Amino acid sequence: MEAGQEPESARSAAQRRAEIRRRKLLNNSEDRMNRIVGFSKSDADSGERAGVGVLHLDLDHPEWSSSSKRASPADSGVCESVSERGVESAAVRSLSADGERSASPRRGLQAYLSRFDDAMKLRGQLANEKAAQDSGAQPEELDAFRIFRTTASVTFAVFVRIFVCQYLSIFAPFLTLELGFMGLHKYFPKVEKKPQTTMLTAALLLSGIPAEVISRSMDTYRKMSDVFSDLCVYFFSFIMSHELLLLFGSHTA
Amino acid sequence: MAAGFNWFLVLSSVFLCNLVKTFLPSISSFLSKIFHKDADQEMEMRTEIQNMKMELSTISMMDEFARYARLERKINKMTDQLKTLVKSRTAQQAKMKWIVNIAFYILQAALMISLILKYYADPVTVVPSKWIAPLERLVAFPSGVAGGVGITCWLVVCNKVVALILQAVS
């Protein structure tokens, strides 16, 4: 009877040892995997909070799963915890938006890293665009309104040189011309301008300025650049016509 | 007479610079072709590889395996050599492009600086000062002559206009 119990207890002790060894191995593998993936458990939690698709190893369900994956109805506990985390993440985001980002330097660093990822993506896009431009694509096409502006500026400059400049400054008619362009803008077909990704855009995005503000600023910058181009063309045409008139005037004299 | 054509001198310099800038890739590729000595060898290797591949397609692998394998090894060896050659040629091209770009920008900067120094005190052209009021001081900078068009303003205007013209032409 005792002899029968002894091997049983020995077997159970062996089973226990095997179980302990198995758990230890699994724990070790989890640690190893965490080290490979590159974050601790708190990092993984914050990754889930941010809604980023990060991978984590679950010992109870030992398959690779993404945090962005929906939990099954059976794992209602997991669901609850995820929803709680979602609420918490919203709170955290609002707090960070209020300027409490500096309270946790780690979160700030993560936000910076995510922005850095965005900037790197933009950089890749920029490199692709540059390659496309090098392969022969035009950087900016001359649309109908652009051609009209240039032609009108040249014609107006010649007109101003011949008839107007004796009476007033050449910049006053130019301002009138610009006002006219602003009014005529809506009568021309709208050209969908591709948002250009520049290093400046990437740098602004990296420094935390919203994309909408950047695009609006770039639009304003483009308009100012158009006005400057018009001014250059206008002034150049004016000086050219002045010099040509002087030349022909001196010849005829 | 010559003093009256200062504006034209600056304009032609800017136009020339922009034109050369447009042709920089072509110039650098032409120069790299001139300085590249292994072009014939590369062509020979390409032809040889093509011939060997054709020969390989005529050989049956089952019947003449040894010959097939020998030829295949030869093709692989030559392809590796060709790859090395092409890599060195690409590196040389990049180097040439870099040198041409640097030389061009140095020359352009020297030209612009010399033009600015030459016309620092003299305006490139003069118009009645009331025509360009109230920006006459800005337009005349750095000459300070009332009604004059300064070299900096004229350089900026010429650069913009020439860039627009070249963009429209290309």
Side-chain angles (χ1 to χ4, degrees), chain A residues 86-133:
Chain A
V87 172
E88 196 186 333
S89 79
V92 163
R93 255 178 263 143
S94 66
L95 276 176
S96 66
D98 290 344
E100 292 191 10
R101 210 176 293 160
S102 56
S104 62
R106 190 162 188 85
R107 200 167 295 139
L109 182 70
Q110 276 170 6
Y112 181 79
L113 285 175
S114 74
R115 259 187 252 136
F116 187 74
D117 282 347
D118 287 347
M120 289 308 281
K121 274 180 208 160
L122 267 171
R123 189 169 162 263
Q125 200 184 329
L126 189 68
N128 289 342
E129 277 178 13
K130 204 173 177 187
Q133 278 175 19

Side-chain angles (χ1 to χ4, degrees), chain A residues 5-25:
Chain A
Q5 277 177 350
E6 231 176 44
E8 204 175 302
S9 65
R11 207 184 305 142
S12 65
Q15 275 176 349
R16 229 179 298 129
R17 274 204 302 278
E19 182 62 28
I20 289 164
R21 211 179 305 128
R22 194 177 72 86
R23 280 187 179 281
K24 201 175 173 185
L25 276 171

Side-chain angles (χ1 to χ4, degrees), chain A residues 140 165-166 169-170 229 243, chain B residues 7 125 130-131 133 160 167:
Chain A
E140 197 186 337
C165 65
Q166 287 88 356
S169 164
I170 62 165
S229 298
E243 290 296 328
Chain B
W7 63 273
T125 183
K130 69 166 191 171
W131 289 7
K160 192 76 192 169
Q167 189 190 341

Side-chain angles (χ1 to χ4, degrees), chain A residues 33-246:
Chain A
M33 195 52 76
N34 279 340
R35 223 170 292 155
I36 290 164
V37 173
F39 50 77
S40 60
K41 203 169 182 180
S42 62
D43 285 345
D45 283 353
S46 57
E48 281 177 1
R49 279 174 198 157
V52 184
V54 289
L55 294 167
H56 67 93
L57 193 66
D58 194 355
L59 276 178
D60 297 329
H61 309 277
E63 71 267 5
W64 282 94
S65 62
S66 169
S67 64
S68 60
K69 205 171 97 179
R70 269 176 198 278
S72 65
D75 302 328
S76 55
V78 176
C79 261
E80 276 171 23
S81 68
V82 164
S83 64
E84 276 170 20
R85 278 170 191 165
V87 172
E88 196 186 333
S89 79
V92 163
R93 255 178 263 143
S94 66
L95 276 176
S96 66
D98 290 344
E100 292 191 10
R101 210 176 293 160
S102 56
S104 62
R106 190 162 188 85
R107 200 167 295 139
L109 182 70
Q110 276 170 6
Y112 181 79
L113 285 175
S114 74
R115 259 187 252 136
F116 187 74
D117 282 347
D118 287 347
M120 289 308 281
K121 274 180 208 160
L122 267 171
R123 189 169 162 263
Q125 200 184 329
L126 189 68
N128 289 342
E129 277 178 13
K130 204 173 177 187
Q133 278 175 19
D134 285 348
S135 64
Q138 287 233 355
E140 197 186 337
E141 280 180 14
L142 286 170
D143 55 284
F145 189 54
R146 179 77 254 163
I147 293 166
F148 170 72
R149 282 178 87 125
T150 313
T151 320
S153 298
V154 173
T155 320
F156 201 63
V158 175
F159 176 78
V160 167
R161 172 62 194 89
I162 297 169
F163 300 109
V164 184
C165 65
Q166 287 88 356
Y167 309 108
L168 83 166
S169 164
I170 62 165
F171 297 111
F174 175 73
L175 289 176
T176 319
L177 183 73
E178 283 303 313
L179 281 174
F181 286 152
M182 280 174 198
L184 288 171
H185 178 66
K186 55 180 174 251
Y187 297 111
F188 282 87
K190 279 192 177 177
V191 181
E192 279 295 319
K193 281 192 177 168
K194 197 174 69 178
Q196 279 188 338
T197 320
T198 55
M199 284 307 280
L200 177 70
T201 324
L204 288 173
L205 201 71
L206 187 63
S207 55
I209 298 167
E212 197 192 338
V213 176
I214 294 171
S215 88
R216 234 182 292 148
S217 316
M218 293 308 280
D219 199 40
T220 314
Y221 173 72
R222 204 180 297 130
K223 276 177 187 160
M224 281 169 66
S225 166
D226 282 349
V227 172
F228 180 69
S229 298
D230 288 342
L231 179 63
C232 285
V233 170
Y234 176 78
F235 190 72
F236 180 81
S237 312
F238 180 83
I239 296 292
M240 283 288 283
S241 52
H242 174 70
E243 290 296 328
L244 287 174
L245 278 175
L246 279 185

